Amino acid sequence: MREVFEKAVSLGLGFAAASKEQAEKFVDEMVKKGEVTKAESQQYVDELVRKGQETQSTLEEKMRGSLHQMLHEMKLTTKDDYVRLTQRIGELERRVTELEAQAAGTSQPLPPSNP
């Protein structure tokens, strides 16, 4: 009986998306087949749900890492890069405006911005 349960747990990816309701249905079938007792069933449901959540978290971490690696390899601009470039453009625009004002003879020094 424990062997059947171990096989189910080993299919953690399948249970990663499983809800508690699905785990209960699976365990109820095991009870009907006499593979587990009714007293053990809640423990098995809790363990299936916990293992499913652990597997889902692990899978999410791996997927997030893979996605991050793929984006890095594609050399796409990150949000931090975008913010830095936007600030840099703002600073350059401020400097151009200041230089244009100086060239026109109406020098109006602008306060420095934070790069």
Side-chain angles (χ1 to χ4, degrees), residues 96-110:
V96 167
T97 302
E98 186 176 332
L99 289 172
E100 287 174 342
Q102 286 176 0
T106 58
S107 179
Q108 297 177 351
L110 299 175

Side-chain angles (χ1 to χ4, degrees), residues 10-115:
S10 71
L11 297 173
L13 280 178
F15 284 107
S19 66
K20 183 174 181 176
E21 182 179 301
Q22 290 170 316
E24 287 171 343
K25 184 177 177 182
F26 176 77
V27 172
D28 285 345
E29 286 297 317
M30 290 175 65
V31 170
K32 286 178 187 175
K33 292 178 183 178
E35 294 171 348
V36 295
T37 66
K38 188 70 172 162
E40 296 171 315
S41 66
Q42 188 58 46
Q43 175 187 351
Y44 286 140
V45 167
D46 292 343
E47 192 169 342
L48 282 172
V49 170
R50 184 181 57 76
K51 290 278 189 183
Q53 290 170 340
E54 287 174 4
T55 302
Q56 183 174 4
S57 293
T58 301
L59 183 60
E60 287 173 358
E61 287 175 28
K62 287 181 180 181
M63 299 232 353
R64 196 173 292 118
S66 294
L67 182 59
H68 181 72
Q69 182 64 31
M70 287 186 334
L71 291 174
H72 178 73
E73 289 172 5
M74 294 171 68
K75 299 182 188 278
L76 296 177
T77 302
T78 65
K79 184 177 180 180
D80 290 340
D81 291 338
Y82 176 80
V83 168
R84 225 178 359 266
L85 289 170
T86 301
Q87 290 172 343
R88 180 74 175 137
I89 289 169
E91 174 63 19
L92 291 171
E93 287 174 339
R94 186 194 68 75
R95 286 183 182 173
V96 167
T97 302
E98 186 176 332
L99 289 172
E100 287 174 342
Q102 286 176 0
T106 58
S107 179
Q108 297 177 351
L110 299 175
S113 65
N114 296 331

